[in-house]
Amino acid sequence: MKNCSILLILAIFFIPVQTTAQNTSIELNQNWQFKNQKENKWYNATVPGTVHTDLLANKLIPDPYYRDNESKLQWIDKADWEYKTGFAVEADLFKKDRIEMTFDGLDTYADVYLNGNLILRADNMFRGWTVNVKAFIKKKKNELLIQFYSAQNRVDSIAKARLPLVLPDNNRVYVRKAQFQFGWDWGPKFAGCGIWKGIKIEGWNGVRIRPTYSAEKNNVKLIQQKDAAGTSFYFEKDGKPIYCKGANWIPADVFLPRVTKDEYRKLLLMAKEASMNMLRVWGGGVYEDDYFYDLCDSLGIMVWQDFMFAGGMYPGDEGFMTNVREEVKYQIERLRHHPCIVLWCGNNEIDEAWHNWGWQKQFNLHGQDSAKVWNDYKRLFEDSLKKWVNEFDGITPYVSTSPKNGWGHKESFTEGDSHYWGLWWGLEDWEVFEKKTGRFISEYGMQAMPNWNTIKSFTDSSDRYLYSPVIQAHQKANDGFKKLNHYLTRYFIDSARLSKLSLEDYTYLTQCLQFYILRNSIAIHRSKYPTNMGTLLWQLNDCWPVSSWSITDYSRQPKAAWYAVKESYRDDAMPAQESLNPKDITLQKPAYTVSVSGNVVSIKSSANAKYVCLSSTDSEAVFSDNYFTLYAGITEKISVNKTIDLKTIKVISLFDVLHR
C-alpha cells in the first residue's frame, strides 16, 4: 500500500465552555475493579472497557474470537456485573459551587452509586449522562459503584410482559444498545456490558455558558427531484452534483473500546486511497467516536449517518420515545458541527422489511396489532425523528429509512436509494445490474473468506479444512457457503473440483470471486451516470475475524476486493466490464521470477497469469497492488509498506489453484 501522509486540518465549530471562574475537571479512569454481582472476588478492570475484555485480561475466559469460543461464553451476557473505583478530590474542585459527574457511555442498564447514594439509573448506551454530585462527594475516600444488569435478561423480560404482541424480529429492539451485539449475519453475539466511554468530574463557580453552534457547517445538499427516469437521489456541493463512491461502515470491533486511533486511521486512509468519498455509518452499530468524524472531516469523506435502528420494529411507548429523543438530542449536538455529516437517516431496512419480509405472518401481526406496530414506526421515523433533526440540527437533510423501496420492486430502480441484494441473496448474476441499477445504491456486495493469515489467527491447525465446525462458526450468513459456492461454480470452477480444494485455495478463490464481482458491478453502476449517482458497497470493515462482505478483514489489511475497488473508483478512469468469465479464460502454467530490493518486490512470469496474489508470512506486510494480471515477460514492481524478506513471500495465481 502506498504510504499516505495526510495533514489533518480540523475546523473548530464550537465556542469553548466559559464560566465566571475557571472550571476544574478530573478523569475517573484509574483503579477500577469489577466482579460478577453473585460473587465476592474483585478483579482489575480497564475503563473505558467491556466486561468481556476485562474477563479476558484477567485470564478468566479464553479469547472470545478464537475457534468456537463464542458459543462457550454466552453465559456472560446473562450475568449481572459491577464496577467500582475509589478517588479523592482536590481542594480546588471540592470548593466549587457546582460539581457534576459526566458519564459519556454506560452500556447499558446501570445503577450508579456515589458513596452509597443512588445518583443515576441509566438505560441507553447512546446517551451521555450528567449528574450534580455536590451533595454527595467528599474530599477523600469517595467510592463510585456501578451495577450493570443483563441487557439480554431485561429485554427478554420486557418482551414476555408484552405477549401476545411480538415485535419483529428480536427482543433487542427494546433496548437502546448497539443492535449488532446481539448477533448479525457477519457478527457474533456478545451483548455484554461495561463503561465503554470515559467518566469525568467537573466543577465550577457561577453561571456556566453552554457551547453554541454554528449553523453554516457545509454546503452539501440532497437533491430529490422528478425527472425523466423517476425521482433523482444525489448529493450536490456548491451547486455541482457529486457522484458518491464508497462503502458501508460497521463498528470495527464488537468490543468497542478496543478500536484505537491507529486502527481508525488505517481503515479511513484505506477508504481514501480507494478514492472513496462517502461512508454510510450503518444503523445497527454505534454513533462513532469523535476521532472517526474528525478524520472524515480532514480526509474529505462524506458521512451518511444512520440513527441506531436496524432490522426490527421498535416500541412506541412514551418512555421509549422520550429516551430516544434524549439520545438524538445528545448525538446531534455532539456531531452536528462536523462538515462530513451530509445526511441523517432514520433506520436501516425496516420499512423494506415490514413490507417485504413476511413479518406479519411470521409474528402473527394482524388487525389492531399490525396497525399499532406500523403506526409506532411512522410516529418514530416519519414524524418524530424528522422533527428532532430539524430542531437540533436544522440544516442537514433527513430521510426516514434506507432503502426507500425493497429490491424486488421496480420503484427501487427509479427513486430513492436502493439496497440491491438480488446479487447474493437472490443468487442473481452481476450482469443483473445492467437492468437493475438504482438511482443511488447504498448497499450491495459479495462475500469472501478473510485473509489466510487471519484464518490462521483464529483456528487451530486441526480446524483448517473446508467447512470445519470452526470455519462454520466464523460464517454467520444464512447458507453462506452454499451461496459462495453457487457463485464460484458460476464464474470460476466446476463443482467437482471445488469440493476438492484445500481451505487455503478455497480462501484464495473466494477472494478472487469478490474482486471479480465488485469490479464488474461498479463498472456497470458508474456506466449508468448520471441516472445513477452513487454506489456504496457493503462493507468496508469487519468487527471480528469472519467470512463476510467486507473488503478489508479484522487484521485491518485489504482483501483482494479492496484492490478491485481501488482501481474501479479511480477519478481519472472509468472501469470496463470483463467480457469473459474467469472459468472461460485459457490459462497456461506460469513460472515466476521474484526478487526483493528493500520494500519493492519485482515479479515476472513466463506466461500470462490472472489474479496473481503476493502474500507473506509477515502478517503486517501490505502490497501496493495485488490480485493483478501479470503479462508474460513483463516485470511488475510492487511496493510494500515495510522492508520484506524474499523468503517470506508466496506467489499464487488462478492457474495454480484450478490445475493442481
Side-chain angles (χ1 to χ4, degrees):
M1 180 185 295
K2 296 176 182 175
N3 291 323
C4 294
S5 178
I6 298 180
L7 179 64
L8 302 182
I9 306 174
L10 302 176
I12 305 299
F13 288 85
F14 276 120
I15 297 174
V17 174
Q18 299 176 7
T19 62
T20 56
Q22 185 177 7
N23 66 318
T24 306
S25 66
I26 59 173
E27 300 284 338
L28 293 183
N29 56 8
Q30 301 294 322
N31 304 316
W32 283 91
Q33 295 178 296
F34 83 109
K35 72 177 183 67
N36 188 314
Q37 286 193 31
K38 292 184 177 180
E39 298 176 357
N40 295 320
K41 186 173 182 180
W42 292 88
Y43 298 90
N44 291 334
T46 299
V47 171
T50 74
V51 67
H52 287 87
T53 51
D54 286 331
L55 288 165
L56 181 62
N58 284 276
K59 300 182 179 179
L60 299 172
I61 61 170
D63 182 350
Y65 295 172
Y66 187 63
R67 303 193 74 205
D68 56 352
N69 285 341
E70 175 197 359
S71 63
K72 303 169 185 175
L73 299 178
Q74 293 305 301
W75 61 272
I76 298 169
D77 294 350
K78 296 179 181 179
D80 300 325
W81 302 88
E82 58 187 354
Y83 283 71
K84 72 176 182 179
T85 189
F87 64 94
V89 176
E90 293 182 359
D92 183 56
L93 189 151
F94 189 75
K95 293 176 182 177
K96 298 296 183 182
D97 295 339
R98 185 175 180 88
I99 303 174
E100 287 185 346
M101 187 172 288
T102 298
F103 304 84
D104 286 328
L106 297 176
D107 179 13
T108 293
Y109 292 110
D111 290 347
V112 183
Y113 295 85
L114 178 59
N115 298 324
N117 300 284
L118 178 63
I119 62 170
L120 171 66
R121 280 193 160 150
D123 60 356
N124 190 325
M125 169 181 183
F126 304 126
R127 285 174 61 179
W129 307 86
T130 298
V131 183
N132 183 1
V133 296
K134 176 70 174 179
F136 309 115
I137 203 162
K138 302 184 295 186
K139 286 184 180 179
K140 297 180 180 180
K141 296 184 179 180
N142 290 282
E143 182 183 74
L144 182 63
L145 175 70
I146 304 178
Q147 294 180 332
F148 288 99
Y149 299 94
S150 164
Q152 186 66 65
N153 292 346
R154 188 69 62 91
V155 298
D156 289 345
S157 177
I158 295 171
K160 184 178 180 180
R162 301 196 180 191
L163 291 173
L165 179 69
V166 178
L167 289 182
D169 70 338
N170 188 297
N171 292 346
R172 61 178 166 77
V173 298
Y174 288 105
V175 61
R176 296 309 301 140
K177 175 176 172 63
Q179 302 285 272
F180 84 108
Q181 293 177 338
F182 292 85
W184 220 265
D185 59 2
W186 36 257
K189 183 183 181 298
F190 290 120
C193 66
I195 306 167
W196 77 288
K197 289 190 175 184
I199 301 173
K200 66 182 177 182
I201 301 175
E202 194 169 18
W204 68 91
N205 295 324
V207 178
R208 193 181 194 194
I209 302 173
R210 294 292 180 179
T212 59
Y213 167 57
S214 171
E216 297 179 4
K217 68 166 189 171
N218 64 45
N219 52 356
V220 177
K221 298 178 180 179
L222 174 64
I223 308 299
Q224 299 184 86
Q225 295 177 341
K226 295 287 185 181
D227 60 19
T231 303
S232 68
F233 190 104
Y234 68 91
F235 294 88
E236 180 183 87
K237 184 173 184 178
D238 298 328
K240 297 179 180 179
I242 307 167
Y243 188 87
C244 294
K245 301 171 295 181
N248 285 261
W249 172 276
I250 67 168
D253 203 303
V254 173
F255 308 125
L256 297 159
R258 294 209 297 198
V259 186
T260 65
K261 287 186 175 181
D262 182 59
E263 288 178 298
Y264 277 120
R265 280 195 301 269
K266 282 182 179 178
L267 288 166
L268 291 176
L269 286 172
M270 289 174 72
K272 185 66 175 180
E273 189 175 351
S275 295
M276 294 186 185
N277 60 13
M278 177 175 278
L279 293 174
R280 173 178 175 245
V281 177
W282 170 75
V286 296
Y287 306 93
E288 270 298 342
D289 187 85
D290 291 336
Y291 190 65
F292 171 90
Y293 299 100
D294 288 342
L295 286 175
C296 288
D297 286 343
S298 66
L299 293 169
I301 296 174
M302 295 177 288
V303 172
W304 166 320
Q305 178 67 56
D306 280 3
F307 288 105
M308 293 301 118
F309 301 91
M313 302 301 289
Y314 289 82
D317 58 274
E318 290 306 313
F320 186 87
M321 294 291 289
T322 299
N323 198 355
V324 171
R325 184 184 186 278
E326 291 304 310
E327 167 190 326
V328 170
K329 180 177 186 291
Y330 172 79
Q331 293 295 344
I332 291 181
E333 289 182 349
R334 179 175 76 94
L335 299 174
R336 64 190 176 186
H337 68 285
H338 287 284
C340 65
I341 297 178
V342 298
L343 181 69
W344 298 101
C345 176
N347 68 74
N348 173 76
E349 294 188 344
I350 302 178
D351 189 299
E352 175 188 16
W354 179 256
H355 288 105
N356 298 288
W357 293 4
W359 278 350
Q360 292 86 345
K361 181 179 180 180
Q362 181 182 354
F363 296 98
N364 195 31
L365 292 169
H366 305 289
Q368 290 184 349
D369 283 347
S370 179
K372 172 179 169 45
V373 172
W374 179 241
N375 287 335
D376 286 345
Y377 172 91
K378 291 194 294 183
R379 180 188 174 200
L380 177 56
F381 296 110
E382 296 180 5
D383 300 331
S384 298
L385 275 171
K386 182 178 181 180
K387 179 180 70 176
W388 297 335
V389 168
N390 186 59
E391 179 182 356
F392 303 128
D393 183 314
I395 293 178
T396 310
Y398 170 80
V399 295
S400 63
T401 188
S402 176
K404 184 176 181 181
N405 298 287
W407 59 265
H409 297 268
K410 65 181 187 301
E411 292 83 4
S412 68
F413 312 121
T414 60
E415 61 183 43
D417 70 311
S418 168
H419 293 191
Y420 195 75
W421 286 108
L423 176 71
W424 181 261
W425 287 109
L427 297 179
E428 296 176 344
D429 297 344
W430 60 263
E431 291 91 342
V432 72
F433 282 120
E434 282 290 1
K435 295 183 178 180
K436 294 185 177 181
T437 292
R439 307 305 301 267
F440 191 107
I441 305 179
S442 47
E443 278 193 28
Y444 72 99
M446 177 55 55
Q447 263 207 5
M449 297 281 282
N451 291 320
W452 184 242
N453 281 337
T454 301
I455 290 174
K456 290 194 292 184
S457 75
F458 70 79
T459 58
D460 180 78
S461 59
S462 63
D463 304 320
R464 294 171 196 155
Y465 62 91
L466 205 50
Y467 318 130
S468 74
V470 168
I471 294 300
Q472 292 275 14
H474 290 253
Q475 164 64 278
K476 295 297 185 179
N478 184 39
D479 287 335
F481 286 123
K482 183 177 179 180
K483 291 184 175 70
L484 267 175
N485 294 346
H486 166 83
Y487 285 103
L488 285 171
T489 55
R490 170 72 179 88
Y491 292 113
F492 278 85
I493 190 172
D494 66 65
S495 57
R497 287 158 70 191
L498 174 64
S499 64
K500 298 176 181 177
L501 291 179
S502 69
L503 181 64
E504 186 172 5
D505 283 351
Y506 183 86
T507 295
Y508 164 83
L509 210 57
T510 66
Q511 293 221 7
C512 293
L513 171 70
Q514 190 184 33
F515 180 111
Y516 171 77
I517 295 284
L518 291 187
R519 183 186 186 280
N520 285 285
S521 297
I522 293 169
I524 297 179
H525 296 169
R526 294 192 66 184
S527 75
K528 302 298 184 181
Y529 172 88
T531 303
N532 169 263
M533 288 298 294
T535 174
L536 308 181
L537 62 90
W538 185 271
Q539 65 214 63
L540 177 67
N541 58 309
D542 276 333
C543 66
W544 78 311
V546 65
S547 298
S548 82
W549 298 265
S550 178
I551 62 171
T552 67
D553 76 5
Y554 185 66
S555 70
R556 316 307 182 199
Q557 294 195 351
K559 289 159 68 171
W562 180 84
Y563 295 97
V565 172
K566 177 185 175 185
E567 182 67 21
S568 300
Y569 277 174
R570 284 172 52 184
D571 294 321
D572 61 343
M574 288 288 286
Q577 300 173 46
E578 296 180 49
S579 58
L580 283 177
N581 295 335
K583 68 188 302 183
D584 297 327
I585 299 172
T586 300
L587 299 170
Q588 295 179 326
K589 181 176 177 62
Y592 310 109
T593 303
V594 184
S595 62
V596 174
S597 177
N599 69 333
V600 176
V601 178
S602 298
I603 181 170
K604 186 167 65 173
S605 174
S606 62
N608 291 347
K610 291 284 290 183
Y611 297 104
V612 176
C613 172
L614 300 174
S615 60
S616 173
T617 54
D618 184 339
S619 61
E620 296 181 357
V622 180
F623 299 90
S624 61
D625 196 9
N626 223 338
Y627 293 84
F628 50 86
T629 298
L630 188 58
Y631 294 99
I634 304 297
T635 299
E636 291 286 345
K637 293 184 180 295
I638 309 297
S639 61
V640 193
N641 62 334
K642 59 186 299 186
T643 301
I644 194 166
D645 189 332
L646 176 61
K647 295 178 182 178
T648 70
I649 294 176
K650 179 179 179 179
V651 182
I652 191 173
S653 73
L654 192 58
F655 180 95
D656 303 320
V657 169
L658 298 184
H659 297 278
R660 287 193 194 280

